[in-house]
Amino acid sequence: MDPDVSVLLHCAPWRGLREGQVQVELSSRFNRHSVPDAEKHIQSLWEERARREPWLFNGSKFRLHSARWTTSHHPATRTCETKAAQDGEKATLETLNSHCCWLNDTGHSETQEHARCDGQLPVPALTTCRGDSPVVKSQSGRDAGDHSKAVVLRLQLGLTCYKDYLGTNWSETVSELQSHGRVQLGDAQALLAQPLGVGAVMATADGQVVLLRRSHKVAEAAGLLDIPGGHPEPKAVCKGVSEESITMELLEGREDAVLMEIFSSVLAEIRDEVNVPLSCLSEPILLGIALNHTSAGRPSAEFYVRCSLTAEQVKAAYWLGGPEANESTDVVFLRETELLNLDESTPLWSELCPSAKGAIILHQLVMSAKAQLT
């Protein structure tokens, strides 16, 4: 088990999710909890960092509070939750990472241990796909009844910012913040920024996967291999509004636009980092959400994207340079078949940054489920 990364949830039973199979719930209730001492620490760290790196700016980000499985019309049929969630509370990132509950034929919940990062999560035989819409199945394989509907993933999002991320997830006192959150609020991540990232396993027309060698000038994972990725941006939804003026009140009622930004942002990151036109990229398919434990469990939604260009064409485009070419120094290709066999025992694994590891593990889980269904 790699301590740098774990799987929060995966979409293997449905072979990945499309945008229409995901929902967004927005509320200031999903923002980071604040305490006076922590706020002083965050501000102090930011001022010190800004003095050393005056080019930094404090951009707003979406904060992932929790994620849960539900059904479009009958949420009780299948939900990822803990016992507390069964009593009416939402599952938090910490609790979701530990358990996944299913309903059997009798209607009683069955708790199944959720995989961390070893890629050995058993694929449940409780769901199947009819076209693009996954439907709930019982343990015996029969449909769960006329009331069962398409399963959807609901993301509960608040707002955070880069300053809070540096002052919490990246703080030397993060373990204290997690302890306070666990004891006082029942959620170890409650005081952390937890900005939602995005990343893409991008496959070329000739079956190669694109990896980027991160620049030594970037703040995280310098020099390591990564997948194209970044963050969905609230400013893309609140056009014309300054970063510091973006509030949850401005976002409320714009859930569809936020969801669209999450899915489209991963394509924009490929365009800007790899210099591949959007017209060459397929619809992104959500593989799941991974947690980066080198930054205290920061979540990232990982996608699968196909490109109509060959590896040689992608390489040529990359070396022409895109808007974010300064973030990497080289492009590396790995056959998709090789990617499926990567693990801690392979030499390349130590060269991967946590976000790439998480995406690869999720890709392996989904592809393994596809193989079992064919």
Side-chain angles (χ1 to χ4, degrees), residues 41-330:
H41 181 66
I42 291 169
Q43 186 61 33
S44 175
L45 286 179
W46 178 254
E47 291 174 357
E48 178 186 347
R49 183 76 177 265
R51 279 194 298 269
R52 289 187 284 111
E53 304 171 42
W55 56 86
L56 288 179
F57 68 95
N58 185 26
S60 62
K61 306 296 177 189
F62 293 108
R63 179 181 188 271
L64 182 62
H65 167 73
S66 62
R68 64 183 308 189
W69 297 106
T70 184
T71 54
S72 55
H73 298 295
H74 200 62
T77 306
R78 179 187 181 276
T79 294
C80 274
E81 55 188 6
T82 60
K83 186 177 186 302
Q86 293 170 346
D87 293 334
E89 299 177 12
K90 302 290 187 185
T92 65
L93 286 180
E94 181 184 29
T95 55
L96 253 177
N97 193 40
S98 301
H99 295 89
C100 182
C101 292
W102 307 79
L103 296 185
N104 62 21
D105 284 340
T106 64
H108 294 98
S109 64
E110 296 185 349
T111 302
Q112 180 175 344
E113 188 68 17
H114 216 294
R116 293 298 191 269
C117 59
D118 56 7
Q120 300 300 313
L121 182 68
V123 179
L126 303 178
T127 57
T128 187
C129 290
R130 290 177 180 163
D132 296 332
S133 300
V135 295
V136 177
K137 295 282 284 186
S138 68
Q139 288 279 23
S140 63
R142 299 187 302 272
D143 286 356
D146 295 336
H147 298 293
S148 64
K149 301 294 180 181
V151 172
V152 297
L153 175 63
R154 181 175 299 159
L155 305 177
Q156 295 180 319
L157 302 177
L159 274 178
T160 188
C161 63
Y162 187 58
K163 179 180 79 171
D164 287 1
Y165 173 57
L166 291 180
T168 59
N169 289 70
W170 269 105
S171 171
E172 293 180 354
T173 65
V174 65
S175 59
E176 296 174 22
L177 294 174
Q178 289 177 311
S179 178
H180 181 100
R182 186 181 297 109
V183 173
Q184 300 296 326
L185 301 166
D187 176 9
Q189 307 301 79
L191 301 180
L192 306 190
Q194 294 297 87
L196 177 65
V198 294
V201 174
M202 173 189 165
T204 64
D206 51 349
Q208 303 278 341
V209 172
V210 175
L211 298 173
L212 300 175
R213 179 74 67 181
R214 290 175 63 83
S215 167
H216 284 279
K217 297 180 180 179
V218 296
E220 297 180 47
L224 296 180
L225 289 173
D226 199 2
I227 56 173
H231 297 85
E233 303 289 350
K235 65 182 179 183
V237 179
C238 300
K239 296 185 184 299
V241 179
S242 63
E243 293 266 6
E244 61 272 13
S245 300
I246 295 176
T247 63
M248 186 55 69
E249 287 70 29
L250 290 176
L251 290 168
E252 286 177 352
R254 308 185 71 177
E255 288 81 2
D256 289 346
V258 172
L259 178 61
M260 184 182 298
E261 166 61 11
I262 293 172
F263 273 72
S264 63
S265 65
V266 73
L267 300 180
E269 294 292 347
I270 294 174
R271 176 197 62 200
D272 295 344
E273 294 182 9
V274 191
N275 200 33
V276 170
L278 294 178
S279 59
C280 296
L281 301 176
S282 73
E283 171 191 10
I285 301 298
L286 180 64
L287 301 171
I289 299 175
L291 301 179
N292 180 348
H293 294 292
T294 66
S295 51
R298 175 177 56 85
S300 183
E302 310 296 356
F303 296 84
Y304 182 76
V305 176
R306 284 204 169 274
C307 177
S308 61
L309 303 180
T310 65
E312 282 301 315
Q313 291 171 320
V314 170
K315 181 186 289 187
Y318 172 82
W319 286 114
L320 287 175
E324 297 180 5
N326 63 312
E327 294 185 4
S328 64
T329 59
D330 197 6

